Amino acid sequence: MTTRIVAIGGTVNPGSTTEQALRLAAASAATGGADLQVFGGAYLAALPHYGSEAHAKGNGSELVEAVRQADGVLIAAPGYHGTISGLVKNALDFLEDLSKDERPYLDGRAVGLIATAYGDQATMSTLFAMRSIVHALRGWPTPMGATIRTYRGLFSPDGECLEDRARMQLELVGQQVARGARAFALAAAEPGA
Ligand SMILES: Cc1cc2nc3c(=O)[nH]c(=O)nc-3n(C[C@H](O)[C@H](O)[C@H](O)COP(=O)(O)O)c2cc1C
């Protein structure tokens, strides 16, 4: 049985700390051999607005299809003015295309959340906003959500996290997504499921 994990997030900045945090948690989630797909800042920046003509032409369908198949999802967003950035929210709006599925939106998926910001207040308010979104989409947020204060030097140039507090949170969120994803995949494989 293969579990499938999809990681979504980042910013338009090259070397985005949000995306680095996402990739660290995703690597932790995939340690046991899960199938992993990452949609980082560059992909999100190329998405049209949800509901636009470009969306109607099929842009964003890879993201929708990946989440459709997923057992676990990781989402990382920066706090912009105290809440989730428009870039990441627009990507999540595409999950509306799963509304008519047998498993709609984020139903039956473990969802790990990562909020980054300069200050504690925005990391927390952004995490809470993300949890509300996941609940609205019928997803199952993991018990641990990561709140990461960002600054120059949090990650080394090769992507290593240099702060124990941040690294431990990200690894734990990844592990919890892997655990939840395995449980959902097993349940789906049961006869009569
Ligand atoms: C438009 C904008 C608004 C922001 N608002 C906040 C904020 O309200 N509180 C805060 O602590 N940081 C704020 N920040 C800092 C971002 O959270 C920070 O740039 C982000 O965590 C780093 O992301 P990146 O390295 O992935 O680009 C803001 C940044 C931008 C660009």
Side-chain angles (χ1 to χ4, degrees):
M1 185 199 63
T2 312
T3 54
R4 295 189 179 87
I5 292 170
V6 173
I8 303 163
T11 71
V12 296
N13 294 326
S16 158
T17 48
T18 310
E19 184 167 334
Q20 285 178 297
L22 176 74
R23 287 183 183 275
L24 195 161
S28 166
T31 300
D35 194 66
L36 174 67
Q37 258 185 291
V38 180
F39 295 89
Y43 179 87
L44 305 188
L47 281 176
H49 283 148
Y50 178 78
S52 64
E53 249 180 64
H55 163 229
K57 287 182 183 153
N59 284 281
S61 57
E62 319 80 13
L63 173 69
V64 172
E65 198 48 42
V67 176
R68 177 171 278 134
Q69 304 298 334
D71 309 294
V73 177
L74 278 156
I75 304 168
Y80 280 5
H81 306 157
T83 192
I84 180 172
S85 66
L87 188 79
V88 177
K89 184 59 173 63
N90 181 54
L92 297 182
D93 289 347
F94 278 75
L95 304 186
E96 185 60 27
D97 290 359
L98 301 175
S99 65
K100 303 277 190 302
D101 283 22
E102 194 180 326
R103 215 168 40 123
Y105 302 108
L106 293 172
D107 187 19
R109 295 153 181 100
V111 186
L113 298 172
I114 299 159
T116 68
Y118 291 156
D120 288 317
Q121 182 166 275
T123 61
M124 291 307 296
S125 54
T126 301
L127 180 67
F128 292 152
M130 292 166 82
R131 280 202 179 128
S132 297
I133 292 167
V134 173
H135 282 143
L137 297 178
R138 307 187 201 181
W140 296 63
T142 57
M144 181 70 183
T147 53
I148 308 297
R149 281 168 305 167
T150 50
Y151 52 88
R152 194 187 298 271
L154 177 59
F155 286 89
S156 72
D158 57 2
E160 188 191 347
C161 184
L162 300 177
E163 188 196 279
D164 288 346
R165 175 189 174 275
R167 190 178 57 253
M168 286 163 67
Q169 288 185 73
L170 294 167
E171 287 175 351
L172 183 53
V173 170
Q175 287 159 13
Q176 291 187 345
V177 167
R179 189 172 166 188
R182 272 195 302 275
F184 279 117
L186 267 174
E190 274 171 13

